[in-house]
Amino acid sequence: MPELPEVEVVKKSLEKEITNLSIKRVKIKDGNLRYKVKRQDIYKIKGLKIKKIKRRSKYLLIFLSNDFIIIVHLGMTGKFFIKKKNKSKQKTSFYYNLQNGQEEKHDRLIFYLSKETKLIYNDVRKFGFITLCSKRKVFENKHIKKLGPEPFDRNFNLDYFVKYINGKKRVIKDLLMDQKFVSGLGNIYVNEILFFSNINPKRKISNLKEFELLQIIKNIKKVLKKAILFGGSTIKDFKSSSGKLGEFQQHFKVYGKKGHQCSNLDCKGKVKKITISNRSSFFCSICQK
DNA sequence: TTCTTTGTTCCGGA
DNA sequence: GTCCGGAACAAAGA
């Protein structure tokens, strides 16, 4: 479930906690992630220093002191924990809220860093991955190279939108989920963005008016910025609380709100749930035409 | 037991 | 070759 805002929040807290620390050793507890963690990669990063951390779409790029970059994708349930000596385990972000004990069970990798700091990668469903890449080749990486513009990029504008959709005939929700069109959005934020844009998720892109395209662009930037400000969204399956949590889910207007009254004051509609391309979509059939 | 959930890749048909 | 939709993947809760 981590979409751009959650990854950005993780990036910020990792940046604060592990920049300038060096990697002493790495323990693979379960390397069978989306791609198997390679032992030779682990060997290559031993002794290197963590120089800086960047985000591209939903990917984290951890720059090391030589030519290497660690590329991380959190998949659906990947998360990092930081553990310092004499301190209990801290989450790296306001992100997931875990039940007690869950963390240990799904810890997959442990990075032993300098200053007696441990960085733990935990992933319940193992859809995330961690791989090594050289700085020179990062834009040739098979994941990174196919990404479309960042939503906050000035190149992501009306001109780009109009050109991209020319001759295509998908529905708008599918397009916004497509990382080649714009990178970083997932199911949750696309639902929210279409609500604010007053556009039905099943609308064909060929039928959208120019003012509607502008609305979509504006709301993508607006919703993502606000979500980052609130520390992202916390997955709702987990119940007990410890540490700081993302709070943006409290601001959801439609996602997960089937049957709720539409949040627009003058609207008597209810939020509906339908399936589009095997994903659930929530919308108000009165406000979203 | 079956359905649902999430992001991404892969595959086949148009 | 491009476009597009559907299935698959892991794991857990309802």
Side-chain angles (χ1 to χ4, degrees):
Chain A
M1 196 189 280
E3 302 180 34
L4 188 149
E6 290 75 33
V7 179
E8 178 65 20
V9 171
V10 171
K11 180 238 166 191
K12 281 180 178 156
S13 54
L14 277 182
E15 199 165 46
K16 195 173 132 222
E17 297 288 345
I18 65 169
T19 305
N20 289 324
L21 298 186
S22 53
I23 300 165
K24 296 175 116 176
R25 66 188 178 92
V26 182
K27 184 173 173 185
I28 304 176
K29 291 189 72 177
D30 182 352
N32 296 311
L33 305 179
R34 171 175 283 274
Y35 308 117
K36 196 166 173 70
V37 177
K38 294 184 198 142
R39 293 212 168 265
Q40 70 247 41
D41 281 356
I42 296 302
Y43 180 75
K44 284 179 193 162
I45 63 173
K46 209 171 158 182
L48 301 181
K49 197 175 191 180
I50 295 160
K51 298 298 282 183
K52 61 180 174 182
I53 299 171
K54 294 200 167 201
R55 178 191 61 72
R56 170 76 173 103
S57 181
K58 302 173 193 172
Y59 298 83
L60 289 165
L61 305 176
I62 302 174
F63 286 71
L64 303 179
S65 53
N66 66 354
D67 188 41
F68 288 122
I69 296 176
I70 303 173
I71 302 178
V72 181
H73 192 283
L74 299 172
M76 294 189 277
T77 53
K79 51 200 97 63
F80 281 110
F81 294 93
I82 305 279
K83 197 172 181 180
K84 292 186 177 177
K85 203 191 177 188
N86 300 328
K87 284 189 182 169
S88 57
K89 188 149 68 174
Q90 295 179 327
K91 284 185 205 72
T92 54
S93 67
F94 319 136
Y95 191 29
Y96 287 120
N97 176 13
L98 291 169
Q99 285 176 351
N100 292 332
Q102 285 275 329
E103 308 93 321
E104 295 284 331
K105 190 173 170 190
H106 302 294
D107 288 353
R108 308 298 181 191
L109 298 174
I110 303 176
F111 295 80
Y112 294 87
L113 308 177
S114 52
K115 296 202 174 159
E116 314 221 36
T117 301
K118 276 195 263 184
L119 173 67
I120 299 161
Y121 178 72
N122 176 293
D123 193 342
V124 175
R125 295 178 206 177
K126 303 202 283 188
F127 269 22
F129 69 83
I130 294 188
T131 185
L132 202 58
C133 178
S134 77
K135 265 176 216 169
R136 286 172 289 110
K137 290 192 174 167
V138 69
F139 295 112
E140 296 164 34
N141 175 273
K142 73 168 188 169
H143 300 99
I144 304 295
K145 76 175 176 192
K146 61 177 76 159
L147 294 173
E150 287 282 318
F152 299 130
D153 196 304
R154 64 170 61 182
N155 294 323
F156 179 61
N157 53 31
L158 182 66
D159 194 42
Y160 170 79
F161 207 153
V162 171
K163 280 182 183 144
Y164 193 94
I165 65 180
N166 182 257
K168 293 191 169 72
K169 46 172 205 179
R170 315 166 68 176
V171 297
I172 183 62
K173 179 160 188 269
D174 259 1
L175 181 79
L176 296 182
M177 302 266 292
D178 188 342
Q179 306 299 304
K180 289 193 289 294
F181 169 63
V182 61
S183 62
L185 302 180
N187 197 34
I188 294 176
Y189 291 106
V190 167
N191 276 290
E192 296 297 304
I193 287 158
L194 288 174
F195 173 78
F196 285 112
S197 306
N198 297 116
I199 292 169
N200 187 298
K202 283 200 114 161
R203 283 277 295 281
K204 292 262 195 287
I205 48 180
S206 51
N207 297 332
L208 292 169
K209 304 275 184 291
E210 190 174 296
F211 81 93
E212 292 178 312
L213 302 182
L214 283 167
Q215 277 295 308
I216 292 169
I217 293 169
K218 188 187 83 182
N219 286 312
I220 286 173
K221 296 174 200 258
K222 206 166 143 184
V223 169
L224 294 181
K225 274 192 181 146
K226 192 174 169 195
I228 292 169
L229 209 64
F230 279 96
S233 305
T234 305
I235 198 167
K236 60 180 191 290
D237 316 21
F238 297 100
K239 290 178 184 108
S240 82
S241 150
S242 63
K244 292 184 215 162
L245 304 172
E247 290 175 345
F248 189 71
Q249 70 278 7
Q250 292 160 27
H251 301 268
F252 287 168
K253 301 291 185 190
V254 287
Y255 183 80
K257 298 226 177 264
K258 181 186 172 185
H260 287 230
Q261 180 96 33
C262 173
S263 65
N264 285 335
L265 285 178
D266 48 353
C267 177
K268 296 264 188 283
K270 287 207 161 77
V271 176
K272 290 190 174 170
K273 179 182 176 182
I274 59 168
T275 298
I276 301 174
S277 311
N278 283 321
R279 291 288 180 262
S280 38
S281 301
F282 300 88
F283 68 104
C284 170
S285 55
I286 296 178
C287 296
Q288 294 175 254
K289 296 296 182 192

